[in-house]
Amino acid sequence: MASHTMPTAKPKLGVFKFASCDGCQLSLLDCEDELLAVAGAVDIANFPEASRAVEEGPYDLALVEGSITTPHDAERVIEVRRQSKFLISIGACATAGGIQALRNWKDVDDFTRVVYATPEYISTLDRSTPISVHVEVDFELRGCPISKTQLLELVAAFLQGRRPNIPTYSVCVECKGRGTPCVMVSHGTPCLGPVTQAGCGAICPAYNRGCYGCFGPMESPNTAALGHWWERQLDVPVPDLVDAFRGFNAYAEAFRTASDDYELRESRD
Amino acid sequence: MSTTAVVERENFEELFEALRARGYESVGPTVRDSTIVYDHIETVADLPVGWTDIQEAGTYRLVRRKDEALFGYVIGPHSFKKYLFPPRHTLFTLEKTSEGVKLVDAGDPVPQYAFIGMRPCELAAMSIQDRVFGEGPFFDTEYLRRRQQVFVVAVNCVETGGTCFCTSMGTGPKALEGFDLSVTELLGDAGHRFLIEAGSPLGEEVLADLPHRAAESGEVADAERLLEQAEGAMGRSLDTGGIKELLVGNPEHPRWERVGEQCLTCTNCTMVCPTCFCATVEDTQSLDGATAERVRRWDSCFTTEFSYIHGGSLRPSAAARYRQWMTHKLASWIDQFGTSGCVGCGRCITWCPVGIDITKIAAAIRASEEKKHALA
Ligand code: SF4
Ligand code: SF4
Ligand code: SF4
C-alpha cells in the first residue's frame, strides 16, 4: 500500500448511508461546479450515490447520512467510526433521527404488522436515533436536506485545519440579512425561524411561508415563548403546536420536549 | 437656508429626474411582501402610493388609505443602514499566484445613493452611525465611502405609528438638520402638495430644477400644525430622565429575568435597529486553498458566539443578553458616543416576533425604583 505513505496522497473521503432518503448525499452531487474541486482535493473512496467502487478504509473523513433504525446498522456505524479519523454526521436523519423518528412516539410493531406481509422477517429497532447516540461524532451538519454551501465550507475547513463558519444562531438572522419582512409580524403566519438554526438561507419566509425547522433547534431555543405567542396571538391550536415541533427534527431535544409538553397539554384540555 | 418652496404633486416626479441627472441611484420606500421596504426606486409610481401601516408590538399590517398620499405610512422593517453598512459584504479577496499572494477586489465601486423618504428618526440614526463609524481614532472606511456621497431627501412625519416615540428621544417628527431636502406632504382641499426646504447648496440646486413656487404663510402654518399634532400622537413614550443611572443601577432587577423568559434571542431587534452597528468577520478559503475571502456581516449581542471567550459565552442567558442590549442602547452608549443609541423609531418593538417592548421594560424598572424611593 505504497500510496498511503506517498506525500502527495489526498485525504480519503468516505460517504456512508444509514436510514435516509439520500437527499443529503445528493447535495454533494449537486455541487456540480465544485465537484471537480472536491474530487481534486480529496480521494473519494466510498460514495454509493456516485459510484459503486469501494475502497477499503481507513478514511480521513467520513460523511455519515441517515439514522440508526436496525440492529445491523447499529453495528455497522461502530465499524464506520473505527475506520474513520474524522466523522461528520450530515442531515436531520443523522443528527436528530429524521422524520422516521416519529416512530419513537409509537409502537413500531404496530407498523411492521400493518406494512409487511411477514413481519417476523423484519428486524428493526423501536427507535430511530441519531448517529451521536451510537458513536462519537466530530461535527454535526444540520438540515433536511443539508446546504451544499455549508457542506463545501465544512470540507474546506477540514482540509485547511480551521474552524468552519457554520453559525448556530436563528434563521431570523438570515431572513433579516436578505431583507425579507418577517412573516409572523407582517401577516401573522406562524414561523419556527426564531428557534431554528440558520443554514438554509431563510428560504421559506422569502416565499411568504413560515419556517418548518429543517435545520433543527438553534443554540438557545425558547420554544415555550414562541409557542405561547403562536397560541395567544396567532390562534394556533395546541394539536398544531405538537405537529409543528414534530417535523424532520422531531427527536432533537428542544423540539422533542416542546412537542411532548404540548401533547401533555392536549391530553389535559 | 432658503425659504420654503411648494412643489405640486404632478411635478414631484421631476425630483427623480433631477437626481438621476446628477448620477444618483434613488432608494426608498416601496411595497413588497405586504410591507413597505426600502429598495431601488425609479419613479413616483414605485412609492407606496395610498398605503399606510398599522403597527403594534409584534404586529405590522399594510392597509389602504382613503387618499393617494405618497408618504402616508410610518416606517417598515428596513432602515437605510443596509446601504451604508450592508448586512454582508466582502472586504477583500486573496489569490495565490506565482508571484505570491495577491490582494484583489478590495474597494468595489459603491453607488451614489439618494435616500428618498428618510424619516427624521432615521436621519438621527444615521448621524449616530456617523459618529460610531466616522469619528474618533478608528474609523470605518467602508461606511464612509458609502456615506460621503449620499443625497438625503427627508420626509417629515405628519402621522405617527403605534410604536413610535421619537418625541421622547428628541429626534422627530420634524427633521432639523442633516438633509439636502426636507419634505412635508400636504393633502386635502387645497390640493396634494409638498412643502420643500433645502438644507444644503446641492439641495438648493436640485430644488431649483423642480417647478416650484414660494409657500404661502398659510401652508407653512398648516405644516407646522400637522407636525405639532404628530408630536402629541406618538404610540409610545420613554422617560429618558436619568435613564443611564436607572439602568446601570439596576443590573439585578427582576424584570430582566422576566424578559429573559419571553425573549427568543432571535436577534431581530438588533437587525432592524437603525443604530445597531455590530459586525463580525468571516474568513473562508476555497477548497483548493488558492483563494481566500474576508467577509464582514452583521452580528448581534443576542447570539451565543457574540460574547464567547475561552471556555464559554459570557452571557449564556436571554436575560443577560437583553439587559446588555437595552443597557447599551439607552445608557452606556451615552458614555461611549455622547448620545443615546435609541432614536425612538419603534422598529425593535414592532419587529420583535413576540412583541417585547423596550419602552415598557424601561417604564417597569423606573416604576419599581420610584416605589423604592417613595417607601424610603
Ligand atoms: S419570518 Fe421567521 S425566520 Fe424570518 S424573521 Fe420572522 S420569525 Fe424569523
Ligand atoms: S432601540 Fe428600538 S426604538 Fe430605539 S432606535 Fe433601535 S429599533 Fe428604534
Ligand atoms: S427582544 Fe425580541 S427581537 Fe430581540 S432577540 Fe428577543 S425575541 Fe428577538
Side-chain angles (χ1 to χ4, degrees):
Chain A
M1 298 281 283
S3 69
H4 271 197
T5 51
M6 269 166 61
T8 51
K10 291 187 279 187
K12 219 159 139 181
L13 170 81
V15 182
F16 300 91
K17 175 189 154 59
F18 292 88
S20 64
C21 75
D22 284 26
C24 290
Q25 282 190 64
L26 288 174
S27 305
L28 186 56
L29 279 184
D30 196 30
C31 298
E32 289 152 3
D33 298 341
E34 301 89 350
L35 207 54
L36 277 177
V38 175
V42 297
D43 167 17
I44 302 178
N46 185 33
F47 188 3
E49 271 288 350
S51 148
R52 249 183 273 155
V54 179
E55 268 183 57
E56 288 280 303
Y59 305 96
D60 294 292
L61 174 62
L63 301 178
V64 178
E65 178 196 80
S67 70
I68 304 302
T69 55
T70 67
H72 173 244
D73 278 356
E75 278 168 29
R76 195 159 60 94
V77 74
I78 291 172
E79 186 50 30
V80 170
R81 174 73 268 191
R82 195 171 289 145
Q83 300 251 0
S84 311
K85 285 192 198 146
F86 202 84
L87 188 151
I88 298 174
S89 52
I90 60 167
C93 301
T95 61
I99 192 73
Q100 59 274 28
L102 288 178
R103 70 154 73 165
N104 301 1
W105 280 272
K106 304 280 184 222
D107 182 352
V108 73
D109 290 339
D110 289 348
F111 291 133
T112 44
R113 268 197 299 273
V114 173
V115 176
Y116 299 101
T118 10
E120 47 287 8
Y121 290 166
I122 301 299
S123 161
T124 188
L125 297 168
D126 62 348
R127 293 244 183 298
S128 167
T129 44
I131 302 301
S132 62
V133 163
H134 302 267
V135 296
E136 199 175 313
V137 167
D138 297 298
F139 195 92
E140 292 193 312
L141 187 66
R142 304 275 199 85
C144 184
I146 54 166
S147 130
K148 71 169 195 180
T149 324
Q150 284 198 336
L151 180 63
L152 288 169
E153 163 61 10
L154 190 56
V155 173
F158 167 78
L159 293 172
Q160 291 146 11
R162 63 175 169 86
R163 189 168 162 258
N165 290 307
I166 297 193
T168 53
Y169 50 52
S170 71
V171 177
C172 303
V173 176
E174 294 184 319
C175 222
K176 286 292 174 287
R178 64 190 281 173
T180 305
C182 178
V183 301
M184 281 224 284
V185 174
S186 62
H187 41 91
T189 301
C191 178
L192 281 178
V195 297
T196 301
Q197 182 169 304
C200 62
I203 301 170
C204 290
Y207 291 91
N208 281 312
R209 321 269 311 236
C211 163
Y212 292 95
C214 306
F215 279 63
M218 52 84 93
E219 58 193 16
S220 47
N222 191 346
T223 51
L226 184 69
H228 186 77
W229 186 266
W230 282 23
E231 242 192 296
R232 303 289 284 279
Q233 299 286 327
L234 310 182
D235 296 322
V236 176
V238 175
D240 291 8
L241 272 156
V242 178
D243 290 348
F245 287 111
R246 269 184 206 163
F248 316 107
N249 286 283
Y251 211 55
E253 196 192 341
F255 289 179
R256 170 163 43 100
T257 51
S259 74
D260 285 346
D261 288 349
Y262 284 110
E263 197 168 50
L264 198 65
R265 275 266 312 280
E266 196 183 347
S267 66
R268 285 202 198 118
D269 284 354
Chain B
M1 193 172 303
S2 63
T3 48
T4 309
V6 170
V7 173
E8 300 293 335
R9 163 67 182 84
E10 61 266 30
N11 295 322
F12 197 71
E13 187 70 53
E14 307 215 7
L15 173 65
F16 289 90
E17 278 307 317
L19 290 169
R20 212 173 356 253
R22 286 173 176 76
Y24 285 103
E25 177 187 333
S26 290
V27 290
T30 192
V31 172
R32 197 178 79 205
D33 298 331
S34 329
T35 45
I36 294 167
V37 297
Y38 293 151
D39 209 338
H40 181 78
I41 50 175
E42 299 266 348
T43 93
V44 166
D46 292 336
L47 293 170
V49 185
W51 289 101
T52 194
D53 45 15
I54 296 179
Q55 305 195 32
E56 250 315 313
T59 66
Y60 174 105
R61 291 294 179 273
L62 191 67
V63 289
R64 268 268 164 225
R65 293 174 62 91
K66 291 201 183 72
D67 55 35
E68 296 290 290
L70 306 189
F71 300 102
Y73 60 90
V74 187
I75 42 166
H78 292 183
S79 77
F80 288 98
K81 153 173 120 172
K82 68 173 183 170
Y83 294 108
L84 303 178
F85 169 47
R88 185 178 185 90
H89 80 283
T90 304
L91 295 175
F92 58 79
T93 307
L94 296 174
E95 247 171 43
K96 232 185 238 168
T97 68
S98 50
E99 288 112 58
V101 175
K102 207 174 95 197
L103 183 75
V104 278
D105 264 352
D108 48 329
V110 295
Q112 193 180 327
Y113 288 121
F115 290 168
I116 311 291
M118 203 174 193
R119 298 296 185 183
C121 62
E122 301 189 280
L123 206 50
M126 186 167 73
S127 95
I128 290 173
Q129 288 213 325
D130 287 351
R131 288 198 200 186
V132 172
F133 288 122
E135 284 175 18
F138 306 105
F139 49 86
D140 193 284
T141 47
E142 282 300 311
Y143 177 89
L144 290 176
R145 70 195 183 94
R146 288 173 169 77
R147 172 70 179 94
Q148 267 149 10
Q149 22 183 3
V150 167
F151 186 94
V152 173
V153 181
V155 174
N156 294 320
C157 298
V158 291
E159 283 170 41
T160 59
T163 56
C164 291
F165 56 104
C166 67
T167 311
S168 304
M169 306 315 290
T171 61
K174 186 178 197 292
L176 300 177
E177 54 179 15
F179 52 82
D180 294 289
L181 291 175
S182 114
V183 177
T184 309
E185 185 169 27
L186 291 179
L187 296 140
D189 299 341
H192 193 172
R193 298 144 294 158
F194 300 90
L195 247 58
I196 304 190
E197 262 178 52
S200 70
L202 191 57
E204 306 242 5
E205 246 182 62
V206 172
L207 181 55
D209 279 6
L210 316 182
H212 66 276
R213 59 171 168 83
E216 289 158 20
S217 59
E219 287 172 318
V220 176
D222 277 354
E224 289 303 326
R225 191 175 36 77
L226 285 171
L227 290 169
E228 242 165 66
Q229 271 170 18
E231 206 173 312
M234 300 282 148
R236 293 285 194 283
S237 68
L238 192 145
D239 180 355
T240 56
I243 187 92
K244 197 176 106 184
E245 294 68 27
L246 181 73
L247 295 180
V248 172
N250 276 293
E252 304 298 337
H253 198 282
R255 197 69 179 77
W256 300 125
E257 284 306 321
R258 265 187 50 208
V259 73
E261 283 161 21
Q262 271 181 289
C263 175
L264 308 170
T265 59
C266 66
T267 81
N268 275 303
C269 49
T270 54
M271 304 270 146
V272 294
C273 179
T275 69
C276 273
F277 56 78
C278 285
T280 186
V281 290
E282 272 175 8
D283 289 341
T284 48
Q285 277 163 282
S286 60
L287 268 173
D288 58 4
T291 59
E293 194 185 42
R294 174 162 294 177
V295 168
R296 176 161 82 172
R297 63 161 175 81
W298 287 356
D299 202 358
S300 167
C301 49
F302 283 90
T303 71
T304 303
E305 176 93 18
F306 188 86
S307 65
Y308 188 89
I309 55 161
H310 173 76
S313 176
L314 274 178
R315 299 185 202 102
S317 72
R321 292 181 205 172
Y322 191 89
R323 178 184 60 193
Q324 150 65 27
W325 175 68
M326 185 168 141
T327 310
H328 185 215
K329 236 2 39 163
L330 298 174
S332 48
W333 203 295
I334 302 173
D335 297 327
Q336 221 180 341
F337 304 110
T339 160
S340 173
C342 174
V343 297
C345 73
R347 282 188 184 86
C348 58
I349 306 172
T350 300
W351 297 97
C352 170
V354 289
I356 293 173
D357 182 341
I358 187 171
T359 65
K360 272 201 188 143
I361 292 158
I365 293 175
R366 186 180 293 282
S368 66
E369 194 74 353
E370 278 165 4
K371 216 158 111 195
K372 234 172 29 197
H373 287 300
L375 291 174

